[in-house]
Amino acid sequence: QVQLVESGGGSVQAGGSLRLSCAASGYPIGRMCMGWFRQAPGKELEGVASISRGGPTTLYADSVKGRFTISQDNAENTVHLQMSSLKLEDSGMYRCAALTIEPGRCDLNRLTVAATRGQGSQVTVSS
């Protein structure tokens, strides 16, 4: 059974940076579609970034393109989300998710309903 544990959230001022990490156990990340989604109070779930099996394809929500970068460290079995130029609207609970599907079906929408997900990491951006 795959288990995901996030770390790296916290509070930062607008314009700052944070890096989230998602450590997986029970299955190699290189064989999974992985990514992050977030939810802020009163807002819908939003897929943020995804990386397909083997890492050939990454996808980003329009709201974070150019500011967020997803990457994977196969040796550590960990996926990272580097977040830069953070905005107030980036605040929310970020959760890591994983799917065992082929690369062509790895997308942000599917990640938001993935059964395998971590407990979440809070990100708070202040002015």
Side-chain angles (χ1 to χ4, degrees):
Q1 183 177 357
V2 180
Q3 291 187 321
L4 305 174
V5 178
E6 299 102 333
S7 61
S11 298
V12 66
Q13 288 191 319
S17 299
L18 283 174
R19 189 175 83 155
L20 301 179
S21 297
C22 174
S25 60
Y27 203 74
I29 60 170
R31 297 184 182 180
M32 296 188 288
C33 161
M34 296 195 66
W36 301 83
F37 63 90
R38 66 186 180 187
Q39 187 166 29
K43 295 186 178 180
E44 294 183 352
L45 284 174
E46 179 186 21
V48 174
S50 66
I51 185 164
S52 63
R53 189 174 66 192
T57 303
T58 55
L59 297 174
Y60 297 93
D62 288 343
S63 58
V64 307
K65 279 181 182 176
R67 301 187 298 119
F68 289 15
T69 302
I70 188 170
S71 62
Q72 61 184 34
D73 183 336
N74 290 320
E76 297 292 329
N77 217 39
T78 299
V79 174
H80 301 290
L81 183 68
Q82 179 66 46
M83 306 183 292
S84 303
S85 302
L86 284 162
K87 303 177 180 180
L88 298 179
E89 52 265 39
D90 292 320
S91 295
M93 180 64 72
Y94 285 67
R95 298 184 75 176
C96 178
L99 291 164
T100 52
I101 57 175
E102 58 267 33
R105 297 181 64 208
C106 180
D107 63 38
L108 300 179
N109 287 332
R110 287 191 171 94
L111 278 169
T112 63
V113 295
T116 301
R117 54 182 66 183
Q119 291 299 309
S121 188
Q122 180 67 38
V123 171
T124 303
V125 184
S126 60
S127 58

